[in-house]
Amino acid sequence: MSRLDRLLVALVGLALAGVTVLLWRPAQQGAWAEVLVGAEVVRRLPLDHAQRIEIGGRLGTSVLEVAQGRVRFVDSPCPGKLCVHAGWLRHTGESSFCLPNGVGLRIAGLHEVYDAINF
Amino acid sequence: MSVNRILVLILLALALLACTGRSNAVFRDEFLAMGTLVSVSLYGVDEARVPGISRQIRDDFNYMDGAWHPWKAGPLGRVNELLPLQGRFSLPPSLKPVLLQARELSRQSEGLFNPAIGGLIKLWGFHRDEPPTGPPPPAAAIAELVAQKPSMDDLHIEGFGIRSDNPAVLLDFGGFAKGYAIDRVIERLKSLGIENVIVNAGGDLRAVGSKGDQPWRIGVRHPRAGGVLASLEIHGDESVFTSGDYERFYEYQGRRYHHIIDPRTGYPARDFVSVTVIHGSAAVADAASTALFVAGKRDWRRIAARMGVEQVMLVDDQGEIILTPAMAERVHFEVEPRPSLRVERLP
């Protein structure tokens, strides 16, 4: 094996290691939360930065909270509070929507764990 | 060039191909229709086609939303105005196939999926986009409607003529319209040559094909804790529908009143908090998840068998999870500690 061969083998080894990391990464938590008003994304909230924000919708203000890599509706001016009952969202692909107020939350990331959430 | 070197180059090329094969080629479109958020994920489609495909799907959903709303001006709204008069009238042509399939599924479910109880749904206030806030309707009014036993078999359809011989029959396709609509949209997409797609209407979905060499991965939301309870993979063509007491409900004096009404009692069904069904047809999965929720612990196995549904997951009011063998084989639980599970065979 020449020096060039050895270099190529090393390159292939590195490339395969990279592919393995990319393809076999375990199910991971989302990287950020997308805040939707209607069907438009209006804010992106990093999940590693704890904060509480207010988003205006059709009926009033929805309050969202980010903490410990998760996000949730804390309050919303809808009567049913289904968005609040949905609780914490953590994994990419999870979402919750306050239809009356037209405000939604969706977890996004580079590698989505789920293609769709059934509920 | 030595054989070794050629082999190494081939390996390198394959490794690079593996990297590019994972390109993020899922296009997602989201819009509001049928009182919920509809999400369409397309894989392996030329990007230039996406806006046109999205427009067609939106048009289809908007049309069906208008046509099948039980109380707004539109074909079904008009039918509901005329049915109580008990005379014969013309059924809007677009409604006939919907009605016939709903009637067939209602029969299979022994009337537990019953789109003829529109009057009860309206009495409870669950017909509006906004859930009601309580109190529950008067017991006497509920009893009166239940005593009249509105059923899909009270409808007599000949050609495009229809007549009801029960004045209490009012149609509400709440436990069926989303599934039927998803089936129609998937049909349309297949005719356009789309082979890999998920259509998800408010959490109920049909997934076709796959994401390249990866199956579609579906998370089933926990009915109480939030987050994902279980996951499963779809590679082919299957629908996943869940009926839950958390979807539309209100609490009054500490008691939860939800939208899945038992036609036998006139009150929300109580045995389960969620029922998930997987089936090839979204319409069947939709009707069956409602019927099994209503059927309760005593009757769900018999109704599932009658409706031809083999993959069922039920969460009862104590948090215990009941699975059919076919569901247990493919579902993976994502919560710690692992919930209490029981596998029950169908007759």
Side-chain angles (χ1 to χ4, degrees), chain B residues 78-133:
Chain B
R78 181 170 161 273
V79 166
N80 275 336
E81 280 175 10
L82 296 173
L83 278 177
L85 307 177
Q86 293 182 271
R88 188 172 187 277
F89 63 95
S90 294
L91 184 62
S94 65
L95 278 184
K96 187 173 176 181
V98 193
L99 225 151
L100 291 180
Q101 192 180 5
R103 185 170 70 177
E104 177 56 28
L105 289 167
S106 185
R107 284 173 178 162
Q108 288 175 9
S109 75
E110 300 179 7
L112 298 182
F113 158 64
N114 186 356
I117 59 165
L120 265 173
I121 306 291
K122 193 174 184 182
L123 184 64
W124 277 92
F126 286 116
H127 61 301
R128 288 188 291 265
D129 287 345
E130 273 302 298
T133 51

Side-chain angles (χ1 to χ4, degrees), chain A residues 7-16 19 23, chain B residues 1 4-22:
Chain A
L7 181 67
L8 281 171
V9 167
L11 277 175
V12 168
L14 275 174
L16 287 175
V19 169
L23 296 183
Chain B
M1 193 181 273
N4 271 349
R5 196 172 295 169
I6 291 170
L7 279 174
V8 165
L9 281 174
I10 290 172
L11 267 175
L12 187 60
L14 283 174
L16 288 172
L17 275 176
C19 291
T20 55
R22 201 181 156 78

Side-chain angles (χ1 to χ4, degrees), chain B residues 101-180:
Chain B
Q101 192 180 5
R103 185 170 70 177
E104 177 56 28
L105 289 167
S106 185
R107 284 173 178 162
Q108 288 175 9
S109 75
E110 300 179 7
L112 298 182
F113 158 64
N114 186 356
I117 59 165
L120 265 173
I121 306 291
K122 193 174 184 182
L123 184 64
W124 277 92
F126 286 116
H127 61 301
R128 288 188 291 265
D129 287 345
E130 273 302 298
T133 51
I142 294 173
E144 193 184 326
L145 270 176
V146 171
Q148 293 182 79
K149 297 191 168 138
S151 148
M152 292 302 279
D153 283 323
D154 294 323
L155 296 176
H156 303 280
I157 303 167
E158 288 166 28
F160 282 102
I162 184 170
R163 178 177 62 80
S164 161
D165 54 16
N166 182 342
V169 169
L170 288 170
L171 295 172
D172 185 324
F173 292 127
F176 177 67
K178 260 199 306 189
Y180 190 91

Side-chain angles (χ1 to χ4, degrees), chain B residues 223-282:
Chain B
R224 285 290 183 268
V228 170
L229 169 68
S231 64
L232 56 101
E233 293 180 343
I234 292 182
H235 185 120
D237 185 352
E238 287 179 306
S239 307
V240 188
F241 274 64
T242 295
S243 288
D245 70 354
Y246 50 85
E247 292 175 285
R248 296 169 69 76
F249 71 94
Y250 60 88
E251 277 168 0
Y252 184 76
Q253 295 184 342
R255 193 164 169 80
R256 179 179 291 221
Y257 295 92
H258 63 82
H259 72 301
I260 308 170
I261 305 293
D262 186 338
R264 300 168 296 190
T265 63
Y267 283 84
R270 293 281 179 210
D271 278 3
F272 300 122
V273 297
S274 76
V275 175
T276 304
V277 168
I278 303 179
H279 191 273
S281 152

Side-chain angles (χ1 to χ4, degrees), chain B residues 20-345:
Chain B
T20 55
R22 201 181 156 78
S23 68
N24 197 2
V26 176
F27 298 102
R28 184 181 282 175
D29 183 29
E30 289 182 327
F31 53 93
L32 298 174
M34 305 187 101
T36 192
L37 183 71
V38 178
S39 167
V40 179
S41 305
L42 296 162
Y43 178 86
V45 178
D46 182 358
E47 190 170 357
R49 291 185 67 200
V50 172
I53 293 167
S54 291
R55 201 166 44 246
Q56 292 208 22
I57 299 172
R58 287 171 184 237
D59 287 350
D60 283 354
F61 266 107
N62 286 332
Y63 170 78
M64 293 185 278
D65 192 9
W68 302 343
H69 198 289
W71 310 113
K72 288 184 184 162
L76 187 57
R78 181 170 161 273
V79 166
N80 275 336
E81 280 175 10
L82 296 173
L83 278 177
L85 307 177
Q86 293 182 271
R88 188 172 187 277
F89 63 95
S90 294
L91 184 62
S94 65
L95 278 184
K96 187 173 176 181
V98 193
L99 225 151
L100 291 180
Q101 192 180 5
R103 185 170 70 177
E104 177 56 28
L105 289 167
S106 185
R107 284 173 178 162
Q108 288 175 9
S109 75
E110 300 179 7
L112 298 182
F113 158 64
N114 186 356
I117 59 165
L120 265 173
I121 306 291
K122 193 174 184 182
L123 184 64
W124 277 92
F126 286 116
H127 61 301
R128 288 188 291 265
D129 287 345
E130 273 302 298
T133 51
I142 294 173
E144 193 184 326
L145 270 176
V146 171
Q148 293 182 79
K149 297 191 168 138
S151 148
M152 292 302 279
D153 283 323
D154 294 323
L155 296 176
H156 303 280
I157 303 167
E158 288 166 28
F160 282 102
I162 184 170
R163 178 177 62 80
S164 161
D165 54 16
N166 182 342
V169 169
L170 288 170
L171 295 172
D172 185 324
F173 292 127
F176 177 67
K178 260 199 306 189
Y180 190 91
I182 289 175
D183 281 343
R184 297 292 76 75
V185 167
I186 292 286
E187 249 173 41
R188 154 91 76 179
L189 290 169
K190 285 183 173 176
S191 76
L192 293 171
I194 309 296
E195 293 169 346
N196 305 294
V197 62
I198 300 178
V199 179
N200 182 347
D204 291 318
L205 60 98
R206 181 164 162 187
V208 179
S210 60
K211 211 170 48 175
D213 53 0
Q214 310 257 321
W216 291 116
R217 189 143 192 257
I218 312 296
V220 180
R221 189 186 281 173
H222 197 295
R224 285 290 183 268
V228 170
L229 169 68
S231 64
L232 56 101
E233 293 180 343
I234 292 182
H235 185 120
D237 185 352
E238 287 179 306
S239 307
V240 188
F241 274 64
T242 295
S243 288
D245 70 354
Y246 50 85
E247 292 175 285
R248 296 169 69 76
F249 71 94
Y250 60 88
E251 277 168 0
Y252 184 76
Q253 295 184 342
R255 193 164 169 80
R256 179 179 291 221
Y257 295 92
H258 63 82
H259 72 301
I260 308 170
I261 305 293
D262 186 338
R264 300 168 296 190
T265 63
Y267 283 84
R270 293 281 179 210
D271 278 3
F272 300 122
V273 297
S274 76
V275 175
T276 304
V277 168
I278 303 179
H279 191 273
S281 152
V284 173
D286 198 356
S289 63
T290 305
L292 301 186
F293 193 107
V294 170
K297 290 175 182 169
R298 204 185 60 190
D299 297 319
W300 74 268
R301 283 174 299 272
R302 185 182 78 251
I303 302 298
R306 285 202 55 166
M307 297 187 83
V309 166
E310 291 179 349
Q311 300 181 51
V312 185
M313 175 169 75
L314 312 98
V315 182
D316 75 9
D317 50 356
Q318 304 299 310
E320 189 180 30
I321 296 172
I322 306 163
L323 301 148
T324 57
M327 183 67 108
E329 261 175 30
R330 65 183 299 183
V331 76
H332 178 75
F333 286 90
E334 302 287 352
V335 285
E336 292 291 341
R338 196 174 145 92
S340 157
L341 302 178
R342 197 168 77 235
V343 176
E344 292 194 9
R345 294 186 184 286

